[in-house]
Amino acid sequence: MTRGKSPSHDSLSIEHLQHAGSRLAEVMAFLFNLCIVHSYLPPNLMKTVVVPIVKNKTGDSANSSNYRPISLATIITKVLDSVLNAQLDCYLHIHELKFGFRSQLSTESAILSLKHAVSNQLNTIKWANEYSEPYRLECGVRQGGLSSPNLLNLYVNALIEGLSSMRVGCHIGDVCFNNISYADEMVLLAPSVSAIRRMLAFCESYAETHGLVYNNKKSEYLVFKAGNRLPENIPLIKLNGACLVRVHQFKYLGHIVTEDLKDNVDIERERRALSIRANMLARRFARCSTPVKITSYNALRVQYNNAFRALLGLPRYCSTSSMFAHAGVDSFPAILP
């Protein structure tokens, strides 16, 4: 485990365990075996401190949606979690359409596929060194737990298998490709409104029987263009009785997916971000001497060349001039104003 992590409510850290002596392993093994045999964890091990972290520092600090939680569990629980997680890896069989928390799969895997086709824990909120009253997490898995990704995969795997077995929605050859999942985010794919409605009904039924709740505010639908034609009159699509909002683009796993499946919006977003950073550097070095500016220029030039190599999958030792010439792209000196 990584050192230097913030402790939970018991003030114990990984360093305490590392320097506690050889007998500690025997005591912890005895404790863990008792917990597993009796299916019981002491309340202090179940308690988790939740620290809200601001997502956007320039955003509204009074808006709760502008925060993401960081959960601080006890170090003893983390050790037990890691032991159980090692065993889970040996027995879990997750559906192939579940991309999150799996080796050799990433957000890019889910995006590429898209374009081609429970814990009983107590949480306490920490704010300005003050703690809230404990509350029980009724559904979901413990955030930050080592076994939480595997448990989440196991929990929603039946939903993915159920949707895939419906044989409605999009197909690639003989493979039903009607849903893509990454962590707790799911995309449903279908060529018709009736198919989407059937899959949403299945999702509603699954959620009701498994103690889950869909967030209608974060659920929306997009209609992809069929050639150059984009249908306008779409029948209502509802989730838990609420009408979903139709959008023309949405952000999924860090990528912006549009109705024409082009990457122009993503490229423009990254271009703007790069332009902002370049302007900030220009302002900061505006009063520097010429040698300092040349040093800064050389560092930027090297990074620009390395970024182009990485983008095209070229080796780091390939010729700079030849790679730009072959690609028909301007070199770094050519793009400077």
Side-chain angles (χ1 to χ4, degrees):
M1 295 183 182
T2 306
R3 296 185 178 185
K5 296 293 185 180
S6 300
S8 186
H9 63 90
D10 57 3
S11 300
L12 293 178
S13 64
I14 184 62
E15 287 82 1
H16 288 95
L17 303 189
Q18 291 174 335
H19 301 290
S22 58
R23 291 296 304 275
L24 178 64
E26 299 177 14
V27 176
M28 291 180 66
F30 183 71
L31 170 64
F32 293 164
N33 285 326
L34 286 176
C35 291
I36 293 173
V37 168
H38 296 284
S39 299
Y40 174 80
L41 280 179
N44 281 338
L45 292 186
M46 300 296 294
K47 187 177 179 181
T48 300
V49 176
V50 180
V51 182
I53 303 296
V54 178
K55 292 181 181 178
N56 183 6
K57 294 183 179 180
T58 61
D60 184 5
S61 60
N63 188 348
S64 60
S65 63
N66 193 32
Y67 291 84
R68 60 182 178 87
I70 297 295
S71 296
L72 304 178
T74 63
I75 191 62
I76 304 298
T77 304
K78 288 184 178 180
V79 174
L80 174 59
D81 207 5
S82 65
V83 173
L84 295 176
N85 189 54
Q87 297 299 317
L88 284 173
D89 284 334
C90 300
Y91 298 101
L92 288 183
H93 302 284
I94 304 302
H95 196 276
E96 59 184 3
L97 294 182
K98 186 70 174 71
F99 292 87
F101 310 124
R102 298 180 63 189
S103 61
Q104 299 181 349
L105 294 177
S106 63
T107 56
E108 285 74 17
S109 304
I111 287 292
L112 179 61
S113 300
L114 169 64
K115 290 192 175 184
H116 274 290
V118 169
S119 298
N120 182 26
Q121 73 175 62
L122 291 178
N123 286 351
T124 300
I125 303 295
K126 181 181 179 182
W127 184 269
N129 294 324
E130 296 293 333
Y131 293 88
S132 70
E133 291 294 326
Y135 65 93
R136 191 173 302 280
L137 187 64
E138 299 296 341
C139 65
V141 293
R142 181 169 63 84
Q143 193 224 9
L146 297 177
S147 61
S148 295
N150 274 330
L151 292 175
L152 176 63
N153 282 346
L154 178 63
Y155 199 68
V156 300
N157 192 60
L159 172 61
I160 299 171
E161 291 182 339
L163 287 168
S164 300
S165 64
M166 293 177 67
R167 307 301 296 176
V168 298
C170 292
H171 288 71
I172 299 180
D174 295 329
V175 179
C176 182
F177 214 82
N178 59 8
N179 72 95
I180 298 175
S181 294
Y182 194 99
D184 59 349
E185 298 188 20
M186 174 177 281
V187 171
L188 301 181
L189 300 171
S192 65
V193 173
S194 61
I196 283 290
R197 286 174 172 173
R198 288 182 60 185
M199 288 190 289
L200 286 176
F202 183 88
C203 291
E204 291 171 353
S205 175
Y206 185 91
E208 183 178 358
T209 56
H210 288 75
L212 301 176
V213 177
Y214 283 103
N215 189 341
N216 294 331
K217 295 181 180 180
K218 293 185 177 181
S219 302
E220 51 199 16
Y221 74 95
L222 180 146
V223 180
F224 294 104
K225 283 185 177 180
N228 294 323
R229 185 175 60 86
L230 185 64
E232 295 296 334
N233 298 321
I234 305 296
L236 294 179
I237 299 177
K238 297 182 179 181
L239 178 63
N240 293 328
C243 293
L244 299 184
V245 177
R246 179 181 177 180
V247 297
H248 298 285
Q249 66 180 42
F250 70 95
K251 190 174 182 180
Y252 180 60
L253 305 179
H255 299 262
I256 298 178
V257 181
T258 61
E259 56 194 10
D260 58 5
L261 285 178
K262 294 182 179 180
D263 297 320
N264 296 349
V265 178
D266 254 343
I267 294 173
E268 177 62 18
R269 181 185 60 171
E270 299 301 328
R271 188 199 65 80
R272 287 178 177 272
L274 182 59
S275 178
I276 291 173
R277 298 298 301 174
N279 290 334
M280 290 177 60
L281 288 173
R283 288 196 298 269
R284 289 180 180 178
F285 288 91
R287 298 185 179 181
C288 293
S289 63
T290 299
V292 172
K293 290 182 178 179
I294 292 176
T295 301
S296 173
Y297 166 85
N298 287 330
L300 290 174
R301 175 180 55 80
V302 171
Q303 188 57 47
Y304 178 84
N305 296 341
N306 289 337
F308 190 78
R309 291 188 181 98
L311 185 63
L312 297 187
L314 300 173
R316 294 179 63 87
Y317 53 80
C318 70
S319 170
T320 301
S321 57
S322 61
M323 71 178 183
F324 286 119
H326 286 304
V329 177
D330 291 333
S331 61
F332 186 73
I335 66 173
L336 289 181

